[in-house]
Amino acid sequence: MNKEYTSVVNQLNTDLHRAIQEFMMKGGAATEAAVEEILQSVQAGFSATRDDAKTAHTELSNELSGVSERVYRTQLGVQELNQHTRTWSDNVAMSLSQIGVSLADDRQRAEAAALNQHLLLLSRAQARYDSQSRQGAHGCLEGTRKKVLKEIYDWIDRDDPDSPRILWLCGLAGIGKSTIAHTIAEETDADRRLGASFFFSRDEEDRRNPQLVYPTIASQLARLDHELKKLVAAAVEQDHDVGRLVMRKQFEKLISEPLAAWTGAKGTIVIVMDALDECSPESGAEEILIRWAAELPKTRVPLKVLITSRPEFHIRARFQSLSLRTISQPYILHDIENYVVKEDIELFLRHSLNQIAEDYGIQTPWPSGPALRKLVDRAGILFIFASTAIKFVQSGKRKDPETRLELLLKEGPSKGGSPYRDVDTLYAQVLQYALLANEEDAEYNDIENSQETFSIVLGAIVLIRDPLSSESLDSLLSLKHGSTRRVLLHLHSILIIPESPDIPNGVSIVACMWIYRRIMHV
């Protein structure tokens, strides 16, 4: 368009120049005609130019409109491309993250599997508080044993560095030590404070074997923390036979060294060892106590060990040693006031019997107050009597709990089998062990008629109206000085025997009358 406009102007200049020349040559008329012609030519030229300009403007506008449309579409395409790019980038990042997590999980699973394989090399006992071997075991009924449980938890929660690291829960056979230990293990496990538990049993080979104690405890400690698991597994990896070493080296490699290197300990960690007196041989139980006494003071981790047992001689002797006295605290269950224990037993019996009544459609409350009190009196301070009574009432082919309760309340042994069979078995074990130990002591000390002396002393304790001291019994029975003490040495599980042989009558030898009656019937 610019070239055409320029051409028109140039032509006008040429025509104007020509008109001036003609005016100069031809005069005014000719000039006027030439000017008129020029004006017409100019108007025609400008008219054509305007038309061309309009056409060019229209074409340009159309072209610009097309460009704008293309630009807009291009922008939309760019935006869509950016959105796709961002989505793709996010998806790629997410996929890479998932791949990273998956790889990390795979590594962790592979590492955990490798660690578990090492730990499986340890020979272990099925001795945890919740193991299948203890099926049917349970803790204390809610509301019972509140005093002793509170004192145990006060000991666990005490931050004082001078607080004893071991609590020895000691008591007569059947007084409820294992039930209390089960409660502590179960509740500290729920709070993630339980490091390990080992419940001994003389009836199961693995649970009475001292060689399996430390490997079992170590494998449970490894569950607390991944770092600790790696430390225990490393000990096994370095020596696949570490679980078969002497107990001292087992403790050192599997427990002491991993705990010393562990940095993730948070708060007190509890280890529960129940019925240590059922560890066999006795030297194994002594070694366990010796090792805790030697290692606990050096352990940086806040570790506390609850040990329960009957007051057997070999265990009492170890706890009386200087090394254990300084880091342990005895808790004598049968020293708790009788009325406190009887209240707990009454609560247990009432709850259990009413549950049986509901199951069998018997009107509650059941049984009557006098019948319940009679059962409580029969039990004395022995929870095992109460639990055995409940088992007897709710068992039997005829499913007649009322008749079985009447049978239970009768005086003397029942016909067709004793309802106290479990209790009889328990105390028969204690008496048999004590008799055997007395015979071994007599042979070692060259004492004659040990079995006869054993029977005379026990018979006197059963029949005597008021308790006598050991020295008084020696005099009464015309026995050599110290004979009664030797007989009673292995009977701390069923008799409460003071340390001094001359404690006045009424305090010296206090045994549950129910036990006496059962011995008389044997």
Side-chain angles (χ1 to χ4, degrees), residues 122-125 127-128 195-200 210 212-224 228 232 251 254-255 259 270-273 288 292 303 305:
L122 290 175
S123 297
R124 291 169 287 179
R128 278 174 42 161
S197 61
F198 196 105
F199 281 62
F200 289 92
L212 298 179
V213 171
Y214 296 145
T216 302
I217 289 176
S219 65
Q220 291 181 53
L221 284 172
R223 298 182 307 132
L224 280 177
L228 188 54
V232 175
F251 192 100
L254 293 174
I255 297 177
L259 287 178
V270 179
I271 292 179
V272 178
M273 303 183 74
I288 289 169
W292 283 125
L303 202 65
V305 184

Side-chain angles (χ1 to χ4, degrees), residues 166-190:
I166 297 176
L167 182 66
W168 177 36
L169 189 67
C170 171
L172 301 174
I175 204 168
K177 302 179 296 297
S178 292
T179 305
I180 293 170
H182 185 107
T183 298
I184 297 298
E186 187 172 41
E187 293 182 355
T188 53
D189 193 15

Side-chain angles (χ1 to χ4, degrees), residues 127-403:
R128 278 174 42 161
Y129 80 93
D130 56 354
S131 68
Q132 182 66 26
S133 64
R134 300 191 71 246
Q135 187 175 16
H138 55 79
C140 303
L141 175 68
E142 185 176 357
T144 64
R145 312 316 298 257
K146 292 188 291 187
K147 182 178 186 295
V148 61
L149 290 174
K150 180 182 182 304
E151 294 190 25
I152 292 173
Y153 279 118
D154 286 346
W155 164 72
I156 290 173
D157 296 333
R158 203 173 298 144
D159 291 331
D160 183 1
D162 295 327
S163 172
R165 305 289 291 272
I166 297 176
L167 182 66
W168 177 36
L169 189 67
C170 171
L172 301 174
I175 204 168
K177 302 179 296 297
S178 292
T179 305
I180 293 170
H182 185 107
T183 298
I184 297 298
E186 187 172 41
E187 293 182 355
T188 53
D189 193 15
D191 295 339
R192 295 196 58 78
R193 293 194 290 174
L194 180 67
S197 61
F198 196 105
F199 281 62
F200 289 92
S201 172
R202 65 168 50 87
D203 297 327
E204 298 182 36
E205 184 176 356
D206 63 330
R207 289 173 56 193
R208 66 174 180 257
N209 185 353
Q211 281 292 127
L212 298 179
V213 171
Y214 296 145
T216 302
I217 289 176
S219 65
Q220 291 181 53
L221 284 172
R223 298 182 307 132
L224 280 177
D225 177 84
H226 185 69
E227 179 194 1
L228 188 54
K229 176 182 278 191
K230 289 172 66 175
L231 292 167
V232 175
V236 181
E237 184 180 14
Q238 290 172 6
D239 185 355
H240 289 181
D241 291 326
V242 65
R244 300 179 182 88
L245 302 179
V246 295
M247 293 180 67
R248 176 181 59 80
K249 288 191 175 181
Q250 281 185 1
F251 192 100
E252 177 185 333
K253 299 296 182 183
L254 293 174
I255 297 177
S256 183
E257 291 180 359
L259 287 178
W262 185 33
T263 60
K266 297 177 182 178
T268 301
I269 296 170
V270 179
I271 292 179
V272 178
M273 303 183 74
D274 177 65
L276 181 62
D277 55 282
E278 299 196 26
C279 176
S280 181
E282 292 179 359
S283 58
E286 294 180 54
E287 167 59 27
I288 289 169
L289 293 175
I290 291 170
R291 196 53 42 211
W292 283 125
E295 299 295 338
L296 271 180
K298 299 185 291 186
T299 303
R300 180 178 49 82
V301 174
L303 202 65
K304 291 195 173 182
V305 184
L306 172 65
I307 297 175
T308 78
S309 79
R310 301 173 191 172
E312 302 293 6
F313 174 75
H314 63 290
I315 295 176
R316 296 199 322 275
R318 282 298 168 192
F319 272 107
Q320 289 168 0
S321 67
L322 179 62
S323 59
L324 267 172
R325 278 208 318 268
T326 55
I327 66 165
S328 67
Q329 171 186 336
Y331 190 104
I332 312 302
L333 269 180
H334 47 257
D335 281 355
I336 299 175
E337 296 86 345
N338 285 359
Y339 80 89
V340 174
V341 180
K342 284 194 171 187
E343 285 178 356
D344 287 345
I345 289 177
E346 182 177 351
L347 178 59
F348 170 77
L349 287 170
R350 182 185 297 112
H351 170 84
S352 302
L353 289 170
N354 275 298
Q355 185 64 55
I356 292 172
E358 291 178 7
D359 292 342
Y360 287 91
I362 302 171
Q363 186 175 356
T364 56
W366 178 78
S368 65
L372 183 62
R373 282 192 294 275
K374 191 171 184 179
L375 275 180
V376 173
D377 290 340
R378 288 277 190 90
I381 61 172
L382 298 180
F383 264 88
I384 192 172
F385 177 92
S387 62
T388 301
I390 294 302
K391 289 178 184 177
F392 178 76
V393 170
Q394 67 186 359
S395 63
K397 294 181 180 179
R398 295 182 181 179
K399 304 294 183 184
D400 185 2
E402 291 174 297
T403 300

